[in-house]
Amino acid sequence: MISLIAQYVSLVMLLFAAGYAISLVKKTKFSASWILISCGILVLVATQILGLSTAYMSDPVAEANIDMIVRWLNSFVGIVFLVGIFYVRKLIKHLKRMDEFRAKMENRILSAIIKTEERERQRFAKELHDGLGPLLSVIKMLVTGFNKDKSDDENMKLVHSVKQAVDEAIISVREISANISPHILNNFGLYAAVEAFVKRIKPTMDIELASNFRDTRFPFAVETIMYRVVCELINNTIRHADATKVIVKLTFENNKLRLAYSDNGKGFVLDNDTMGMGLENMRYRLRSGNGDLELFSNPGKGMRAVAEINCTLF
């Protein structure tokens, strides 16, 4: 009697295990290893039921036949589990390779971020040195030129020159600070910031800006990431593409912010080195919002880029 109860308990537990295993087949993306393990558990359930059925039989021949079937099924279960374990081993190796690849990509992205930040620091240092440095030297020279022995007209000319140099220094500081952290982006949003950036470039290049939103505000991280992507793409076009026309289109649909960018430049061959440090950094940031950046180009046919980010994740 105790043995029979134990068999029923074992059957119930196997049924729960089989149901749970089957429910995980889809979650494991129909992995062959998990399908085999689920099949093995189902066969074990069948053998358990057959084993219980013999307890209510009085025909020795039928019991012997069922016992033979159970033995064969147990052998089949052993084979299924063996093959399943083989596939699990392959799956573990695959996951290990994926972890190694992920670690390699994270290191590459981290390196790209560090190099990009260092490049930006060098650029701002150059702007400060080449822009503000000479102006401050001129101001110092003009101030030291003041002399009470000089006529009022001469001193007034020096005052006027100092005022002009100070005004130029203020403008230079504003431009540098706008590049570091554009106040328009913080105060008025993405569209206004992109529009202001485009207006600064328009004297040297024809840039068309379109959008299905203007005053809509997005999370700070979303606006910052997309603004940096637009700036990076335009800067790359200016430096490398020899383009005369750029189209920037921003759209917001289904909680996703999308950028469609194109230029009529000389194009390039897409390869692993196409994504520069700046764009690789932007792609990493976009992926933090379940988005991505894709490039499309051919020599002589310009370049097209599509960036997308999910605004609900910030």
Side-chain angles (χ1 to χ4, degrees):
M1 184 64 182
I2 294 176
S3 176
L4 192 62
I5 293 172
Q7 284 183 291
Y8 274 110
V9 171
S10 176
L11 176 61
V12 171
M13 293 176 67
L14 282 172
L15 285 170
F16 274 114
Y20 188 67
I22 293 170
S23 69
L24 291 177
V25 168
K26 186 177 180 180
K27 292 183 179 180
T28 57
K29 298 181 180 179
F30 300 96
S31 169
S33 59
W34 195 254
I35 290 173
L36 286 169
I37 290 172
S38 300
C39 290
I41 295 173
L42 286 172
V43 174
L44 281 176
V45 170
T47 59
Q48 194 74 6
I49 292 172
L50 288 172
L52 282 170
S53 66
T54 58
Y56 304 98
M57 290 182 180
S58 57
D59 186 354
V61 176
E63 289 184 25
N65 290 334
I66 290 175
D67 185 59
M68 180 65 69
I69 293 172
V70 168
R71 290 180 183 180
W72 278 106
L73 287 175
N74 284 332
S75 300
F76 176 74
V77 169
I79 295 171
V80 168
F81 280 156
L82 181 63
V83 176
I85 290 170
F86 173 75
Y87 277 107
V88 168
R89 185 168 171 267
K90 288 183 66 176
L91 179 62
I92 290 172
K93 285 185 176 180
H94 173 72
L95 292 174
K96 185 178 179 181
R97 287 196 300 269
M98 289 297 295
D99 287 339
E100 291 173 353
F101 176 76
R102 188 180 297 109
K104 184 178 178 181
M105 287 301 299
E106 287 176 354
N107 289 335
R108 181 183 173 188
I109 291 168
L110 179 60
S111 176
I113 291 173
I114 292 172
K115 289 179 180 177
T116 302
E117 290 176 346
E118 185 59 30
R119 185 186 65 181
E120 289 299 299
R121 290 191 186 99
Q122 291 175 358
R123 183 166 69 87
F124 291 130
K126 186 175 184 298
E127 288 183 3
L128 288 170
H129 180 272
D130 298 343
L132 276 180
L135 288 172
L136 293 175
S137 297
V138 168
I139 292 170
K140 180 181 178 181
M141 181 186 68
L142 291 171
V143 170
T144 56
F146 280 100
N147 194 322
K148 63 181 180 179
D149 296 330
K150 289 183 178 180
S151 65
D152 290 341
D153 288 341
E154 289 177 320
N155 283 331
M156 285 304 297
K157 286 180 181 179
L158 287 174
V159 169
H160 181 68
S161 297
V162 169
K163 183 177 180 300
Q164 284 184 323
V166 170
D167 288 339
E168 289 182 21
I170 291 171
I171 292 171
S172 180
V173 169
R174 284 176 179 172
E175 289 178 349
I176 294 171
S177 64
N179 287 329
I180 296 173
S181 180
H183 68 91
I184 297 178
L185 180 65
N186 297 330
N187 297 331
F188 301 102
L190 177 63
Y191 181 84
V194 173
E195 186 179 38
F197 182 80
V198 166
K199 283 181 179 178
R200 292 204 301 269
I201 306 297
K202 267 193 172 182
T204 58
M205 181 180 292
D206 182 15
I207 302 182
E208 180 182 323
L209 174 62
S211 173
N212 67 348
F213 65 87
R214 284 181 178 268
D215 300 325
T216 305
R217 296 304 305 265
F218 305 98
F220 176 75
V222 171
E223 291 185 337
T224 303
I225 291 170
M226 194 58 77
Y227 176 77
R228 296 301 180 191
V229 171
V230 173
C231 294
E232 185 69 26
L233 288 170
I234 292 176
N235 286 329
N236 281 353
T237 294
I238 293 172
R239 289 199 304 265
H240 308 298
D242 295 331
T244 58
K245 175 77 173 179
V246 170
I247 298 175
V248 180
K249 186 176 181 182
L250 292 164
T251 55
F252 179 61
E253 292 179 358
N254 300 322
N255 292 321
K256 288 185 178 180
L257 184 60
R258 190 173 188 270
L259 164 68
Y261 179 95
S262 63
D263 67 40
N264 64 348
K266 61 186 179 182
F268 49 85
V269 177
L270 288 168
D271 54 34
N272 292 333
D273 298 324
T274 297
M275 297 291 287
M277 289 185 297
L279 290 178
E280 192 66 48
N281 186 11
M282 293 303 103
R283 171 176 275 182
Y284 175 73
R285 293 186 181 183
L286 284 165
R287 285 178 175 171
S288 69
N290 198 26
D292 204 351
L293 173 64
E294 294 183 280
L295 298 180
F296 308 89
S297 183
N298 283 304
K301 295 185 179 180
M303 186 274 288
R304 186 166 60 89
V306 177
E308 190 176 80
I309 189 167
N310 191 335
C311 299
T312 61
L313 299 180
F314 292 88

